Short mmCIF file of all heavy atoms in Angstrom, two decimals:
data_model
loop_
_atom_site.label_atom_id
_atom_site.label_comp_id
_atom_site.label_asym_id
_atom_site.label_seq_id
_atom_site.Cartn_x
_atom_site.Cartn_y
_atom_site.Cartn_z
N ALA A 1 18.29 92.28 15.29
CA ALA A 1 19.53 92.44 14.54
C ALA A 1 19.87 91.16 13.77
O ALA A 1 20.32 91.23 12.62
CB ALA A 1 20.68 92.81 15.48
N GLU A 2 19.63 90.02 14.39
CA GLU A 2 19.91 88.75 13.71
C GLU A 2 18.96 88.52 12.54
O GLU A 2 19.36 88.02 11.50
CB GLU A 2 19.85 87.59 14.70
CG GLU A 2 21.02 87.57 15.68
CD GLU A 2 20.86 86.56 16.81
OE1 GLU A 2 19.76 85.97 16.94
OE2 GLU A 2 21.83 86.39 17.56
N GLN A 3 17.71 88.90 12.72
CA GLN A 3 16.75 88.76 11.62
C GLN A 3 17.10 89.69 10.47
O GLN A 3 16.97 89.32 9.30
CB GLN A 3 15.33 89.04 12.11
CG GLN A 3 14.75 87.93 12.94
CD GLN A 3 13.35 88.25 13.44
OE1 GLN A 3 12.87 89.37 13.29
NE2 GLN A 3 12.71 87.27 14.06
N ALA A 4 17.53 90.91 10.79
CA ALA A 4 17.88 91.88 9.75
C ALA A 4 19.14 91.44 9.00
O ALA A 4 19.33 91.80 7.83
CB ALA A 4 18.09 93.25 10.37
N ALA A 5 20.02 90.67 9.65
CA ALA A 5 21.27 90.24 9.03
C ALA A 5 21.06 89.08 8.05
O ALA A 5 21.91 88.84 7.21
CB ALA A 5 22.27 89.83 10.10
N ARG A 6 19.94 88.39 8.17
CA ARG A 6 19.68 87.27 7.27
C ARG A 6 19.43 87.77 5.85
O ARG A 6 18.81 88.81 5.66
CB ARG A 6 18.44 86.49 7.71
CG ARG A 6 18.70 85.59 8.89
CD ARG A 6 17.49 84.75 9.17
NE ARG A 6 16.40 85.66 9.54
CZ ARG A 6 15.12 85.34 9.58
NH1 ARG A 6 14.74 84.13 9.25
NH2 ARG A 6 14.21 86.21 9.94
N PRO A 7 19.90 87.02 4.83
CA PRO A 7 19.62 87.42 3.45
C PRO A 7 18.12 87.31 3.18
O PRO A 7 17.46 86.38 3.61
CB PRO A 7 20.40 86.42 2.60
CG PRO A 7 21.02 85.45 3.53
CD PRO A 7 20.73 85.86 4.92
N GLY A 8 17.61 88.29 2.49
CA GLY A 8 16.18 88.30 2.17
C GLY A 8 15.32 88.80 3.30
O GLY A 8 14.10 88.71 3.23
N ALA A 9 15.92 89.32 4.36
CA ALA A 9 15.14 89.77 5.51
C ALA A 9 14.29 90.98 5.17
O ALA A 9 13.17 91.11 5.66
CB ALA A 9 16.06 90.09 6.68
N VAL A 10 14.81 91.84 4.31
CA VAL A 10 14.06 93.04 3.95
C VAL A 10 12.79 92.67 3.21
O VAL A 10 11.71 93.20 3.50
CB VAL A 10 14.94 93.99 3.10
CG1 VAL A 10 14.15 95.18 2.62
CG2 VAL A 10 16.15 94.44 3.90
N GLU A 11 12.91 91.74 2.26
CA GLU A 11 11.72 91.31 1.53
C GLU A 11 10.74 90.61 2.45
O GLU A 11 9.54 90.77 2.32
CB GLU A 11 12.12 90.37 0.37
CG GLU A 11 12.96 91.01 -0.70
CD GLU A 11 14.44 90.96 -0.40
OE1 GLU A 11 14.86 90.14 0.45
OE2 GLU A 11 15.18 91.76 -0.98
N ALA A 12 11.27 89.80 3.38
CA ALA A 12 10.39 89.08 4.30
C ALA A 12 9.64 90.04 5.20
O ALA A 12 8.44 89.88 5.41
CB ALA A 12 11.21 88.10 5.15
N THR A 13 10.34 91.06 5.71
CA THR A 13 9.64 92.01 6.59
C THR A 13 8.64 92.83 5.80
O THR A 13 7.58 93.15 6.31
CB THR A 13 10.65 92.94 7.31
OG1 THR A 13 11.43 93.62 6.34
CG2 THR A 13 11.53 92.16 8.26
N ALA A 14 8.95 93.15 4.54
CA ALA A 14 7.99 93.88 3.71
C ALA A 14 6.76 93.01 3.46
O ALA A 14 5.63 93.50 3.50
CB ALA A 14 8.64 94.29 2.40
N MET A 15 6.99 91.73 3.23
CA MET A 15 5.88 90.82 2.99
C MET A 15 5.05 90.64 4.27
O MET A 15 3.82 90.61 4.21
CB MET A 15 6.39 89.46 2.50
CG MET A 15 5.29 88.55 2.00
SD MET A 15 5.91 86.99 1.36
CE MET A 15 6.85 87.56 -0.05
N GLU A 16 5.73 90.54 5.40
CA GLU A 16 5.02 90.41 6.67
C GLU A 16 4.18 91.65 6.95
O GLU A 16 3.03 91.55 7.41
CB GLU A 16 6.01 90.19 7.81
CG GLU A 16 6.66 88.82 7.80
CD GLU A 16 7.81 88.70 8.78
OE1 GLU A 16 8.11 89.68 9.49
OE2 GLU A 16 8.42 87.62 8.83
N LYS A 17 4.72 92.81 6.62
CA LYS A 17 3.98 94.06 6.82
C LYS A 17 2.74 94.08 5.92
O LYS A 17 1.64 94.44 6.37
CB LYS A 17 4.87 95.26 6.50
CG LYS A 17 4.21 96.59 6.69
CD LYS A 17 5.16 97.73 6.36
CE LYS A 17 4.45 99.06 6.51
NZ LYS A 17 5.31 100.17 6.11
N GLU A 18 2.92 93.68 4.67
CA GLU A 18 1.79 93.63 3.74
C GLU A 18 0.75 92.62 4.22
O GLU A 18 -0.46 92.88 4.16
CB GLU A 18 2.26 93.26 2.34
CG GLU A 18 1.14 93.27 1.32
CD GLU A 18 1.61 92.89 -0.07
OE1 GLU A 18 2.78 92.49 -0.24
OE2 GLU A 18 0.78 92.96 -1.00
N ASN A 19 1.21 91.46 4.72
CA ASN A 19 0.28 90.45 5.25
C ASN A 19 -0.52 91.00 6.43
O ASN A 19 -1.72 90.75 6.54
CB ASN A 19 1.03 89.19 5.67
CG ASN A 19 1.38 88.32 4.48
OD1 ASN A 19 0.82 88.47 3.41
ND2 ASN A 19 2.33 87.42 4.68
N ARG A 20 0.15 91.73 7.32
CA ARG A 20 -0.56 92.33 8.46
C ARG A 20 -1.62 93.31 7.98
O ARG A 20 -2.75 93.32 8.48
CB ARG A 20 0.42 93.05 9.38
CG ARG A 20 1.10 92.15 10.38
CD ARG A 20 1.79 92.96 11.48
NE ARG A 20 2.69 93.97 10.97
CZ ARG A 20 3.98 93.78 10.67
NH1 ARG A 20 4.51 92.57 10.83
NH2 ARG A 20 4.73 94.75 10.22
N GLN A 21 -1.26 94.13 6.99
CA GLN A 21 -2.22 95.10 6.45
C GLN A 21 -3.39 94.39 5.79
O GLN A 21 -4.55 94.79 5.97
CB GLN A 21 -1.53 96.02 5.44
CG GLN A 21 -0.55 96.98 6.06
CD GLN A 21 0.26 97.74 5.01
OE1 GLN A 21 0.36 97.32 3.86
NE2 GLN A 21 0.84 98.86 5.42
N LEU A 22 -3.10 93.34 5.04
CA LEU A 22 -4.17 92.61 4.36
C LEU A 22 -5.08 91.89 5.36
O LEU A 22 -6.31 91.86 5.18
CB LEU A 22 -3.58 91.61 3.36
CG LEU A 22 -2.91 92.24 2.14
CD1 LEU A 22 -2.20 91.18 1.32
CD2 LEU A 22 -3.91 93.00 1.30
N ARG A 23 -4.48 91.33 6.41
CA ARG A 23 -5.31 90.68 7.43
C ARG A 23 -6.22 91.69 8.13
O ARG A 23 -7.38 91.39 8.41
CB ARG A 23 -4.42 89.98 8.45
CG ARG A 23 -3.86 88.68 7.96
CD ARG A 23 -3.18 87.90 9.07
NE ARG A 23 -2.64 86.67 8.55
CZ ARG A 23 -1.36 86.47 8.30
NH1 ARG A 23 -0.47 87.42 8.53
NH2 ARG A 23 -0.95 85.32 7.83
N ALA A 24 -5.69 92.88 8.39
CA ALA A 24 -6.51 93.92 9.01
C ALA A 24 -7.65 94.32 8.08
O ALA A 24 -8.79 94.52 8.52
CB ALA A 24 -5.65 95.14 9.35
N ARG A 25 -7.37 94.42 6.78
CA ARG A 25 -8.41 94.78 5.81
C ARG A 25 -9.47 93.69 5.72
O ARG A 25 -10.67 93.98 5.65
CB ARG A 25 -7.75 95.00 4.44
CG ARG A 25 -8.71 95.40 3.36
CD ARG A 25 -9.29 96.77 3.58
NE ARG A 25 -10.15 97.10 2.46
CZ ARG A 25 -11.26 97.77 2.56
NH1 ARG A 25 -11.63 98.24 3.73
NH2 ARG A 25 -12.00 98.01 1.52
N VAL A 26 -9.05 92.43 5.73
CA VAL A 26 -10.00 91.30 5.70
C VAL A 26 -10.90 91.35 6.93
O VAL A 26 -12.12 91.18 6.84
CB VAL A 26 -9.25 89.95 5.61
CG1 VAL A 26 -10.17 88.78 5.91
CG2 VAL A 26 -8.64 89.79 4.23
N LYS A 27 -10.30 91.62 8.09
CA LYS A 27 -11.08 91.70 9.32
C LYS A 27 -12.11 92.82 9.24
O LYS A 27 -13.27 92.66 9.64
CB LYS A 27 -10.12 91.95 10.50
CG LYS A 27 -10.66 91.62 11.83
CD LYS A 27 -9.55 91.76 12.86
CE LYS A 27 -9.84 90.96 14.09
NZ LYS A 27 -8.79 91.06 15.08
N GLU A 28 -11.70 93.96 8.69
CA GLU A 28 -12.60 95.10 8.53
C GLU A 28 -13.75 94.75 7.58
O GLU A 28 -14.92 95.03 7.87
CB GLU A 28 -11.81 96.29 7.99
CG GLU A 28 -12.64 97.53 7.75
CD GLU A 28 -11.82 98.64 7.11
OE1 GLU A 28 -10.59 98.48 6.93
OE2 GLU A 28 -12.42 99.67 6.78
N LEU A 29 -13.43 94.10 6.46
CA LEU A 29 -14.46 93.73 5.50
C LEU A 29 -15.42 92.68 6.06
O LEU A 29 -16.63 92.73 5.80
CB LEU A 29 -13.81 93.22 4.21
CG LEU A 29 -13.09 94.28 3.38
CD1 LEU A 29 -12.33 93.62 2.23
CD2 LEU A 29 -14.04 95.33 2.86
N GLU A 30 -14.89 91.75 6.85
CA GLU A 30 -15.77 90.76 7.48
C GLU A 30 -16.73 91.41 8.46
O GLU A 30 -17.90 91.04 8.54
CB GLU A 30 -14.93 89.69 8.18
CG GLU A 30 -14.26 88.73 7.23
CD GLU A 30 -13.32 87.76 7.92
OE1 GLU A 30 -12.95 87.99 9.09
OE2 GLU A 30 -12.95 86.76 7.27
N LEU A 31 -16.25 92.40 9.19
CA LEU A 31 -17.11 93.13 10.12
C LEU A 31 -18.20 93.88 9.36
O LEU A 31 -19.37 93.85 9.74
CB LEU A 31 -16.28 94.10 10.97
CG LEU A 31 -17.06 94.96 11.94
CD1 LEU A 31 -17.75 94.09 13.00
CD2 LEU A 31 -16.13 95.96 12.61
N GLU A 32 -17.80 94.56 8.27
CA GLU A 32 -18.79 95.27 7.45
C GLU A 32 -19.84 94.32 6.90
O GLU A 32 -21.03 94.62 6.88
CB GLU A 32 -18.09 96.01 6.32
CG GLU A 32 -17.29 97.21 6.77
CD GLU A 32 -16.51 97.86 5.63
OE1 GLU A 32 -16.68 97.44 4.47
OE2 GLU A 32 -15.75 98.79 5.93
N ARG A 33 -19.39 93.14 6.41
CA ARG A 33 -20.32 92.15 5.87
C ARG A 33 -21.31 91.68 6.93
O ARG A 33 -22.51 91.54 6.68
CB ARG A 33 -19.55 90.97 5.30
CG ARG A 33 -20.48 89.95 4.63
CD ARG A 33 -19.76 88.74 4.17
NE ARG A 33 -19.28 88.02 5.36
CZ ARG A 33 -18.37 87.08 5.32
NH1 ARG A 33 -17.80 86.74 4.21
NH2 ARG A 33 -18.00 86.47 6.44
N GLU A 34 -20.80 91.47 8.15
CA GLU A 34 -21.67 91.02 9.24
C GLU A 34 -22.70 92.09 9.58
O GLU A 34 -23.87 91.79 9.81
CB GLU A 34 -20.82 90.68 10.47
CG GLU A 34 -21.62 90.22 11.66
CD GLU A 34 -22.36 88.91 11.44
OE1 GLU A 34 -21.98 88.13 10.54
OE2 GLU A 34 -23.33 88.65 12.16
N ILE A 35 -22.29 93.35 9.59
CA ILE A 35 -23.22 94.45 9.87
C ILE A 35 -24.29 94.50 8.79
O ILE A 35 -25.49 94.62 9.09
CB ILE A 35 -22.46 95.78 9.97
CG1 ILE A 35 -21.62 95.81 11.24
CG2 ILE A 35 -23.43 96.96 9.94
CD1 ILE A 35 -20.64 96.96 11.32
N LEU A 36 -23.89 94.40 7.52
CA LEU A 36 -24.86 94.43 6.43
C LEU A 36 -25.80 93.22 6.47
O LEU A 36 -26.99 93.34 6.19
CB LEU A 36 -24.13 94.49 5.09
CG LEU A 36 -23.42 95.81 4.79
CD1 LEU A 36 -22.58 95.67 3.53
CD2 LEU A 36 -24.42 96.94 4.66
N ARG A 37 -25.26 92.06 6.82
CA ARG A 37 -26.10 90.86 6.93
C ARG A 37 -27.17 91.04 8.00
O ARG A 37 -28.34 90.74 7.79
CB ARG A 37 -25.23 89.64 7.25
CG ARG A 37 -25.97 88.32 7.21
CD ARG A 37 -25.11 87.16 7.65
NE ARG A 37 -24.76 87.22 9.07
CZ ARG A 37 -25.59 86.92 10.08
NH1 ARG A 37 -26.81 86.55 9.81
NH2 ARG A 37 -25.19 87.01 11.32
N ARG A 38 -26.75 91.58 9.13
CA ARG A 38 -27.72 91.80 10.22
C ARG A 38 -28.75 92.85 9.85
O ARG A 38 -29.93 92.72 10.18
CB ARG A 38 -26.99 92.20 11.50
CG ARG A 38 -26.24 91.06 12.13
CD ARG A 38 -25.60 91.48 13.41
NE ARG A 38 -24.86 90.38 14.01
CZ ARG A 38 -24.33 90.42 15.21
NH1 ARG A 38 -24.43 91.51 15.94
NH2 ARG A 38 -23.69 89.39 15.69
N ALA A 39 -28.30 93.90 9.15
CA ALA A 39 -29.23 94.94 8.73
C ALA A 39 -30.25 94.38 7.74
O ALA A 39 -31.45 94.66 7.85
CB ALA A 39 -28.47 96.11 8.11
#
């Protein structure tokens, strides 16, 4: 509740969500690259 009350909290949480998604995508791509390298 305190975080949501801060100004700009909505943008920050949206950015954090996007960062989490991007980090997950990077992790997935790194795994794919490793599989292809080994193959």
Side-chain angles (χ1 to χ4, degrees):
E2 288 171 352
Q3 285 178 352
R6 283 186 297 164
V10 175
E11 296 87 19
T13 57
M15 191 177 295
E16 289 170 1
K17 181 180 178 184
E18 183 181 7
N19 281 343
R20 276 194 306 273
Q21 291 172 340
L22 291 172
R23 283 190 181 103
R25 181 68 177 143
V26 166
K27 199 173 202 179
E28 179 185 356
L29 291 172
E30 287 174 344
L31 178 64
E32 289 175 5
R33 184 184 67 195
E34 180 64 21
I35 290 169
L36 290 173
R37 187 185 67 76
R38 288 183 181 188

